[in-house]
Amino acid sequence: MNSVGEGCTELKREYDQCFNRWFAEKFLKGDRSADPCSELFLKYHTCVQKAIKEKDIPIEGVEFMGPNREKPGS
Amino acid sequence: MGKHFFSETDIKSAWELVSTAFWQRYPNPYSNHVLTEDVVFREVTSDNRLLSRRLFTKTNRMPRWAERVFPGNLSRTVYIIEDSVVDPGNRSLTTLTWNVNHATFMRVVERCVFLGERDRPVWTRITREAWISSGLFGLSRPIQEFGLARFRSNQAKAMKGLEHALSNLQNASTGSHGDSAEKHKNLNSASKAQKPQQYI
């Protein structure tokens, strides 16, 4: 799958590959050893953040699980 | 008030497999409207839950009458945030997905829970809920009607896409086992139009 930053797709592919393995083989099995993908994520993340800024995508400051309708009044 | 959508589907796949497939569901033959996918935030909490935020770009399909009303006014892409919490302790994956632009025209918020069933460990219950609203005075009703119809069709595609990812994982992991006696049993009627896909 392509990244929103045209130049980030290869970095994303490498990170995704690492994450998918970690998720299935470590995280789901309760293995809490150090995250082997953090370096790949950092590289990919830096690239994507730059693209998000350049494209003016308005996601900064958006609360996690923001519009959750389960909470009354939100 | 807006429109509300609710559906419950049981699929015969273990929650662990479904949550693994969740991250690998794009691209698939039913996801032509999904253009890009990115992880913009990810963290494992001290109580061992995985929090993620993904950003998607999707095509902004509009009804023809709306394109006449807003000529050239709306860009062709819509940005979507998908926040998720994976809780392996409770065997649950909860997602909240919503569009961040064009929100006055139409806001779609979807909440989806993938829950591993306790008494049937190889089954996962998918509860999908969506709220569709529009802030456009005088046009909100037809826009919401359109939004609901589009949501229905997209969520049917989403289910097929997930099944596709599940069958890919299944094929990759079993390979030589070849246990084809396990019959595909899917209660989601939307996926019956296509040839059945096999997964655990």
Side-chain angles (χ1 to χ4, degrees):
Chain A
M1 204 63 206
N2 285 340
S3 166
V4 72
E6 288 78 8
C8 311
T9 299
E10 186 55 29
L11 294 170
K12 167 183 156 52
R13 202 189 54 79
E14 286 173 26
Y15 168 70
D16 279 348
Q17 218 166 29
C18 182
F19 168 81
N20 288 332
R21 196 175 310 130
W22 169 83
F23 183 82
E25 293 172 14
K26 306 270 182 186
F27 179 72
L28 286 184
K29 293 181 176 163
D31 183 335
R32 292 291 98 92
S33 52
D35 178 4
C37 312
S38 51
E39 215 166 290
L40 289 173
F41 184 69
L42 198 65
K43 275 194 222 161
Y44 163 50
H45 188 68
T46 309
C47 188
V48 173
Q49 285 305 120
K50 198 165 156 250
I52 287 173
K53 207 164 253 180
E54 279 168 8
K55 288 172 194 267
D56 233 353
I57 304 175
I59 61 165
E60 218 177 271
V62 179
E63 194 192 338
F64 188 70
M65 290 300 220
N68 198 339
R69 299 296 175 98
E70 269 208 333
K71 296 171 198 155
S74 62
Chain B
M1 247 326 275
K3 296 274 174 196
H4 182 236
F5 172 93
F6 180 88
S7 83
E8 259 180 348
T9 308
D10 289 336
I11 59 170
K12 194 174 184 185
S13 281
W15 176 82
E16 286 73 12
L17 195 67
V18 175
S19 57
T20 301
F22 174 78
W23 302 113
Q24 302 177 39
R25 67 195 199 275
Y26 297 124
N28 65 65
Y30 315 98
S31 70
N32 290 337
H33 60 300
V34 183
L35 305 173
T36 71
E37 170 207 68
D38 281 288
V39 182
V40 293
F41 167 78
R42 183 159 269 157
E43 177 187 300
V44 179
T45 64
S46 55
D47 59 346
N48 290 331
R49 293 178 308 148
L50 176 72
L51 314 184
S52 306
R53 169 168 287 177
R54 292 201 292 183
L55 169 70
F56 292 95
T57 316
K58 299 188 184 181
T59 56
N60 185 32
R61 189 164 65 79
M62 299 239 295
R64 220 166 271 158
W65 59 261
E67 287 186 353
R68 278 199 298 268
V69 178
F70 314 100
N73 201 8
L74 295 169
S75 71
R76 291 287 155 190
T77 52
V78 56
Y79 296 117
I80 291 169
I81 289 180
E82 172 207 83
D83 283 351
S84 60
V85 180
V86 184
D87 183 348
N90 290 314
R91 299 180 81 222
S92 75
L93 159 58
T94 304
T95 70
L96 202 75
T97 308
W98 69 99
N99 58 303
V100 291
N101 59 344
H102 305 322
T104 306
F105 178 74
M106 190 195 306
R107 166 57 72 90
V108 180
V109 181
E110 180 202 51
R111 188 172 188 276
C112 206
V113 181
F114 302 76
L115 192 63
E117 300 190 13
R118 272 174 211 281
D119 43 348
R120 296 191 301 173
V122 297
W123 287 77
T124 299
R125 167 155 294 189
I126 303 176
T127 308
R128 198 185 293 271
E129 240 182 310
W131 297 265
I132 297 139
S133 57
S134 170
L136 279 193
F137 183 74
L139 282 172
S140 63
R141 196 180 289 203
I143 290 171
Q144 286 164 187
E145 290 288 351
F146 164 77
L148 181 62
R150 188 177 63 176
F151 181 84
R152 281 184 195 282
S153 116
N154 281 354
Q155 74 91 29
K157 286 183 201 162
M159 278 306 299
K160 286 186 199 171
L162 185 66
E163 287 170 22
H164 185 82
L166 280 165
S167 85
N168 281 350
L169 275 179
Q170 168 77 341
N171 291 342
S173 67
T174 53
S176 57
H177 296 308
D179 177 15
S180 58
E182 199 78 81
K183 267 296 224 185
H184 166 100
K185 218 177 184 186
N186 183 15
L187 306 183
N188 179 31
S189 59
S191 63
K192 283 186 177 147
Q194 292 284 325
K195 67 179 163 87
Q197 311 240 8
Q198 194 172 331
Y199 51 89
I200 300 184

